[in-house]
Amino acid sequence: MTKTNQERLLEWLSDAHAMESEAETMLKGQAARLEHYPQLQQRIQQHVEETREQARLLEQRIEALGGSRSTIKDALGSMAASLHAAGNAMMSDEVVKGSGMSYAFEHLEIATYRAIIAAARKVGDAETEAVCRRILAQEEAMADWLAGHLDQVVLDYLARDETEGQTAKR
Ligand code: MG
Ligand code: FE
């Protein structure tokens, strides 16, 4: 075994923190750029708030376990999100691509927290398990919301796109 389960748990919490940095950058960028999709924009803004709280909760757990969050990983996550957002911004169907990206990202988050929950159970860390279950519920709610609204976003996009004088992109 290269690392103890405890060390692995700490590493995954720090990876999750970097993932939330990426999420915050991505979601903030999307919310700021959207103009014609107010319902989507509002839900994303709500999730930005949730994401900040998630990062705070993770920091608490990392500190409680004697670790420190990786500022390098956080910066890389944020940079990856900026690059992806810049790529999406160049596309004429930015809102559709962005929604798909968010949908995928929420599922990455779901998988990440499920892994941490399993590891926390294994080492008997009830507090980390509880925190990550709380976060997991928010990620699942966001994924469900996106799943339930993706078709409408696409239909709104197509309707705007075929209407003279309307912009559909974002
Ligand atoms: Mg999150
Ligand atoms: Fe999320």
Side-chain angles (χ1 to χ4, degrees):
M1 190 164 54
T2 54
K3 293 188 177 185
T4 66
N5 291 335
Q6 189 74 29
E7 286 167 339
R8 191 65 74 185
L9 177 61
L10 194 48
E11 179 188 314
W12 286 354
L13 285 168
S14 142
D15 290 346
H17 192 279
M19 178 182 70
E20 296 302 348
S21 298
E22 184 172 354
E24 186 183 344
T25 302
M26 182 183 78
L27 295 168
K28 266 184 4 195
Q30 284 178 352
R33 288 180 55 81
L34 284 173
E35 287 175 4
H36 304 298
Y37 303 85
Q39 213 192 352
L40 177 64
Q41 184 182 41
Q42 199 185 12
R43 186 62 181 88
I44 291 174
Q45 269 160 355
Q46 182 194 326
H47 202 53
V48 170
E49 297 306 317
E50 291 169 344
T51 298
R52 290 201 184 109
E53 171 69 4
Q54 292 168 1
R56 205 182 57 77
L57 289 169
L58 290 170
E59 279 165 36
Q60 283 178 353
R61 289 319 301 152
I62 291 167
E63 278 169 30
L65 297 180
S68 56
R69 64 197 180 84
S70 164
T71 45
I72 293 172
K73 280 182 187 170
D74 285 5
L76 284 175
S78 184
M79 204 189 308
S82 298
L83 284 174
H84 210 120
N88 277 356
M90 286 189 289
M91 298 183 202
S92 61
D93 59 347
E94 181 179 0
V95 66
V96 176
K97 292 293 191 289
S99 297
M101 173 72 189
S102 294
Y103 185 69
F105 200 90
E106 293 308 324
H107 287 84
L108 174 66
E109 293 187 295
I110 287 168
T112 297
Y113 289 110
R114 287 179 65 161
I116 295 174
I117 288 165
R121 279 182 75 89
K122 168 111 175 132
V123 305
D125 184 344
E127 188 59 35
T128 297
E129 184 188 345
V131 161
C132 289
R133 283 195 186 282
R134 187 169 142 198
I135 297 176
L136 176 63
Q138 291 178 331
E139 311 300 18
E140 286 173 340
M142 184 61 179
D144 285 351
W145 191 95
L146 288 168
H149 290 78
L150 276 177
D151 288 10
Q152 195 56 53
V153 167
V154 173
L155 293 176
D156 289 350
Y157 170 80
L158 291 174
R160 292 191 68 88
D161 199 38
E162 65 184 2
T163 305
E164 194 67 40
Q166 283 194 347
T167 51
K169 176 181 164 82
R170 55 194 169 99

